Amino acid sequence: MSILHLLALGTSLLLLAACASKPLPPTQEISAAEQSLTDAEQARVAQYALPEMQEAREQLSASRAAVLKEDMVLAKRLAQQASMNIKLAAAKAELAKAEEVNTDMTKNIDVLKEEMQRKTGDAQ
């Protein structure tokens, strides 16, 4: 073999070894999910989307456990899923709040209409 072939083979082996190294812990993803969970809890999102919040907590816990088992790929995926469930829960909570406001406004409009009809009937 020529020196050029040996050098190419050595470089290829180094690149393969570099690719085979373990991924780093997904600390950024876990921290982001933890912060989102804290924010959602302060906003009382669980009042409107409890199943999603519980699932997010479980996924975050499983993500931390995966880090301890050195399964960083699973840990990252679980942390990302937890974040998505928290976003879903927050969206459901916002929808529920908007529906409550809509219901209240509809009731108020109905009361006003009744008052106007009564006053109009009194004037005749």
Side-chain angles (χ1 to χ4, degrees):
M1 280 190 150
S2 71
I3 294 180
L4 189 56
H5 283 106
L6 286 174
L7 186 59
L9 180 62
T11 304
S12 297
L13 288 174
L14 284 174
L15 286 173
L16 278 174
C19 291
S21 64
K22 278 192 288 186
L24 297 173
T27 53
Q28 185 176 10
E29 288 83 358
I30 292 173
S31 293
E34 288 172 341
Q35 184 61 53
S36 295
L37 184 62
T38 299
D39 293 345
E41 287 171 343
Q42 289 175 351
R44 298 182 185 174
V45 168
Q47 180 179 348
Y48 300 96
L50 185 59
E52 291 82 3
M53 290 293 289
Q54 287 176 330
E55 187 172 351
R57 284 186 196 99
E58 290 168 7
Q59 289 167 329
L60 193 50
S61 179
S63 176
R64 290 186 201 109
V67 169
L68 294 176
K69 292 178 184 175
E70 297 185 9
D71 189 348
M72 303 310 168
V73 174
L74 177 61
K76 183 176 182 175
R77 183 175 56 82
L78 288 167
Q80 290 171 336
Q81 286 177 342
S83 290
M84 289 297 111
N85 272 325
I86 295 165
K87 288 179 183 178
L88 174 61
K92 282 187 169 186
E94 287 299 315
L95 176 61
K97 289 176 187 178
E99 287 174 343
E100 286 177 357
V101 168
N102 188 38
T103 300
D104 287 345
M105 290 180 75
T106 301
K107 287 178 184 176
N108 290 338
I109 288 170
D110 290 343
V111 168
L112 286 172
K113 284 180 181 178
E114 288 175 16
E115 282 293 316
M116 287 174 57
Q117 287 175 350
R118 253 188 264 141
K119 290 191 182 211
T120 304
D122 291 345
Q124 292 176 354

